[in-house]
Amino acid sequence: MGLLDGKRLLVTGVLTDSSIAFNVARLAQEEGAQVVLTGFGRLSLVERIAKRLPEPPPVIELDVQNTEHLDTLADRVGAHVDGLDGVVHSIGFAPQTCLGGNFLNTSWEDVSTALHVSTFSFKSLAVACLPLMKEGGAVVGLDFDATKAWPVYDWMGVAKAGLESASRYLARDLGRHGIRVNLVAAGPLRTMAAKSIPGFQEFEESWPAKAPLGWDLADTAPAAKACLALLSDWFPATTGEIVHVDGGVHAMGA
Ligand SMILES: NC(=O)c1ccc[n+]([C@@H]2O[C@H](COP(=O)([O-])OP(=O)(O)OC[C@H]3O[C@@H](n4cnc5c(N)ncnc54)[C@H](O)[C@@H]3O)[C@@H](O)[C@H]2O)c1
């Protein structure tokens, strides 16, 4: 018996095999789930990466800033599965001006892009998938602890604070549909998104030393496993929650 036997999942955010979503998709398939991926931008690249999964899944195009993509998502996913039991939001983007110590000078235009892609899209994705979730299910998003002001994370930190709040409101409004909404707050991981943060090495140097359990910046499996647990039937009464998968850093003093 796999943890996710019989579950039908939509997993967003696979870009490379270092993407957190890649490990979510891989482990979910190993645990018995049927997976559909969405890809953004160069779909041929995502399709190539998808072939490295145990069972190459279908890849559907989704730009969360594109209303037509969102409006047609349920139909396009529905061509591959007869419903969804889980949705993984593993999407984040901020223009370079939003990161790296430029907080006081970033334009609203750039901040609005970060919020649209990284925050508002959590709601857009969940609502776009709602027609396929008639039997209830779980929505899981990827967070970075937004209770503190970090070095260099800047407006992405604000976007994540918004994500944490949006997750609680989604939990409120989707509960009546039997849908649980939770976040996994991961520690820093060396993915494409992280490499685009100027000064990311500040996290790389300090995090493993601060974490009581230690922290491997190259291992996305702990965060992915937490996503699987939240997608499974083993958190039936948990929603609006943030599970920290960071080696314990969030619980430590300075
Ligand atoms: N890497 C870290 O240190 C870390 C830590 C905590 C949380 N997270 C979060 O994990 C999630 C996944 O990031 P990752 O680290 O795996 O990096 P990644 O670069 O592999 O994934 C980011 C994904 O966002 C997608 N994306 C960007 N703009 C999009 C758009 N307009 N429409 C649809 N998709 C779009 C990209 O295609 C990519 O697949 C993000 O929400 C990120 O903030 C990352």
Side-chain angles (χ1 to χ4, degrees):
M1 281 286 284
L3 184 69
L4 299 177
D5 268 347
K7 301 270 188 229
R8 301 152 299 176
L9 306 181
L10 184 68
V11 178
T12 66
V14 172
L15 179 61
T16 68
D17 54 10
S18 69
S19 295
I20 299 168
F22 181 85
N23 237 344
V24 173
R26 182 180 70 81
L27 292 165
Q29 286 187 339
E30 285 176 10
E31 291 297 328
Q34 187 181 354
V35 172
V36 176
L37 297 184
T38 71
F40 166 64
R42 287 173 56 203
L43 274 204
S44 56
L45 180 66
V46 181
E47 278 159 0
R48 188 144 40 90
I49 299 294
K51 291 204 176 90
R52 296 184 196 164
L53 289 167
E55 294 230 348
V59 180
I60 285 167
E61 187 176 19
L62 176 64
D63 173 355
V64 290
Q65 291 192 288
N66 184 319
T67 310
E68 196 195 328
H69 286 186
L70 289 162
D71 289 347
T72 58
L73 187 67
D75 284 345
R76 291 183 296 129
V77 175
H80 300 280
V81 281
D82 55 4
L84 284 175
D85 305 292
V87 176
V88 178
H89 179 283
S90 190
I91 294 170
F93 172 75
Q96 283 290 295
T97 55
C98 289
L99 300 152
N102 191 45
F103 188 82
L104 298 181
N105 302 310
T106 315
S107 70
W108 163 242
E109 199 188 1
D110 287 348
V111 170
S112 70
T113 300
L115 295 176
H116 193 176
V117 177
S118 313
T119 309
F120 185 73
S121 68
F122 194 47
K123 191 278 306 180
S124 317
L125 178 68
V127 170
C129 292
L130 203 50
L132 292 170
M133 300 184 79
K134 296 217 161 47
E135 294 148 44
V139 178
V140 177
L142 271 303
D143 182 27
F144 189 73
D145 181 11
T147 58
K148 298 172 184 70
W150 298 104
V152 307
Y153 205 50
D154 296 6
W155 285 101
M156 197 63 197
V158 178
K160 289 300 190 192
L163 180 73
E164 292 181 357
S165 180
S167 177
R168 289 186 284 269
Y169 281 98
L170 269 181
R172 181 194 69 181
D173 288 353
L174 297 184
R176 73 180 78 105
H177 298 276
I179 297 173
R180 298 172 288 114
V181 182
N182 294 291
L183 296 176
V184 170
L189 293 160
R190 275 193 205 114
T191 62
M192 286 298 273
K195 283 181 196 150
S196 71
I197 302 174
F200 182 74
Q201 66 275 13
E202 287 199 37
F203 289 116
E204 298 197 310
E205 283 154 18
S206 59
W207 210 277
K210 278 196 230 155
L213 292 175
W215 183 251
D216 182 350
L217 294 135
D219 187 6
T220 55
K225 285 179 179 172
C227 292
L228 260 64
L230 289 167
L231 292 164
S232 79
D233 293 332
W234 288 89
F235 278 97
T238 299
T239 196
E241 187 58 274
I242 301 173
V243 178
H244 293 85
V245 181
D246 62 354
V249 169
H250 74 284
M252 298 298 109

